[in-house]
Structure formats: structure tokens, C-alpha cells
Amino acid sequence: MDTTHFDGPRFTTDYFGASIPLMEFLGLVPEHIESGLARTRLPWRVELTNSRGDVHGGTLMSVLDFTLSAAARGGLEHGTSMATIDMTTSFFAPATGDLSIEARCLKRGRSIAFCEGEVRNGAGEVVCKASGTFRVIRPKPVSVAP
């Protein structure tokens, strides 16, 4: 089997200016971004659950990681990306049903951003929260030949 060429599905969701196949695979819905703030939504589906039927903790961490990093890059020039340095997640209750994720960038310097965010269930209860540190990766300048 040739693994050097991928002819699978093409991902089409715009994740605030980026194409992120994992988030599309998870079904994450980007809702809002502005400088220092991002909101996403995760519709419940059985493929995202653990053996008890709750949304799996790894899924929650993945969507939090993306939403936190989106808050960090909100308002920055197109093509800026983030690399996770550290993320701490605390779980308070089982995550069931459709979930909303909101993240804020607390401080962003030239090369590092600090963010926090939470996941809420349909009743508005916080089921988990995270804080993260991200490396800011700015696009390389395009050189123009004389």
C-alpha cells in the first residue's frame, strides 16, 4: 500500500483561518473569534464517548487545546499559528450532550501566550477547564526577488 499519497476526504471547515483535519474529524464547530476570545461547539455523538457514554476526556482536551490556541491567535495576522507548550486540564463532572467551549487569552507577548478556557454542558454547567501556554509562530516573511 502506497502511504505517500493521500486520496481520502478533503476537509473543508474553516477553523478561524486554518484547516485542522482532527477538529473536523471530531465534529468541532467554530462559532466566534476575536482578539483574545474564541468559542466553539462540540455536538455529542457516540464516537466521542468513553465506556460510560460520556464524552471522552481526551476529546475534551483536544477541543480545549484548539479553542485555547484560537483565542491566542485571534486578532493576529493571517498565517500565525500556535504550538502548545503546556496545558493543564481539570475535570469536574461527566460531559454529556452537546458542549460549548470558550477560551480567553490572558496575556500574549511576542513569542508566548497564556490562555484559559472551559467546557460547558447544555445546562451551562462547567464540566472541565484548562489553562495553557502556547508558542506564537508567526508566518515567515515572503522575500521578493529584485
Side-chain angles (χ1 to χ4, degrees), residues 61-137:
M61 292 174 74
S62 292
V63 298
L64 273 163
D65 180 60
F66 167 75
T67 309
L68 289 157
S69 69
R73 65 184 170 90
L76 295 178
E77 70 180 295
H78 180 73
T80 301
S81 62
M82 299 289 152
T84 308
I85 295 171
D86 179 67
M87 190 171 103
T88 301
T89 308
S90 299
F91 300 91
F92 306 122
T96 57
D98 294 349
L99 304 170
S100 61
I101 304 96
E102 183 170 292
R104 295 155 301 286
C105 185
L106 304 174
K107 181 166 180 56
R108 181 178 60 215
R110 177 148 174 74
S111 60
I112 302 288
F114 302 91
C115 302
E116 68 179 12
E118 64 274 336
V119 176
R120 293 180 183 269
N121 63 18
E125 302 163 327
V126 176
V127 295
C128 68
K129 66 185 309 181
S131 61
T133 307
F134 298 87
R135 179 173 164 246
V136 179
I137 303 170

Side-chain angles (χ1 to χ4, degrees), residues 1 3 12-13 17 23 40 55 59 67 69-71 83 87 93 104 108-109 112 115 136 144:
M1 179 175 167
T3 59
T12 58
T13 302
M23 293 303 112
T40 58
V55 177
T59 299
T67 309
S69 69
M87 190 171 103
R104 295 155 301 286
R108 181 178 60 215
I112 302 288
C115 302
V136 179
V144 178

Side-chain angles (χ1 to χ4, degrees), residues 7-20:
D7 279 329
R10 299 293 178 237
F11 296 96
T12 58
T13 302
D14 178 353
Y15 285 95
F16 308 130
S19 172
I20 305 176

Side-chain angles (χ1 to χ4, degrees), residues 3-78:
T3 59
T4 60
H5 182 70
F6 178 72
D7 279 329
R10 299 293 178 237
F11 296 96
T12 58
T13 302
D14 178 353
Y15 285 95
F16 308 130
S19 172
I20 305 176
L22 176 62
M23 293 303 112
E24 188 157 345
F25 177 77
L26 293 175
L28 188 68
V29 178
E31 291 193 329
H32 178 78
I33 190 168
E34 62 186 68
S35 183
L37 177 72
R39 278 194 300 275
T40 58
R41 182 174 43 84
L42 184 66
W44 185 94
R45 61 183 220 269
V46 71
E47 296 87 357
L48 303 178
T49 62
N50 58 25
S51 61
R52 293 179 307 280
D54 305 322
V55 177
H56 191 280
T59 299
L60 297 171
M61 292 174 74
S62 292
V63 298
L64 273 163
D65 180 60
F66 167 75
T67 309
L68 289 157
S69 69
R73 65 184 170 90
L76 295 178
E77 70 180 295
H78 180 73

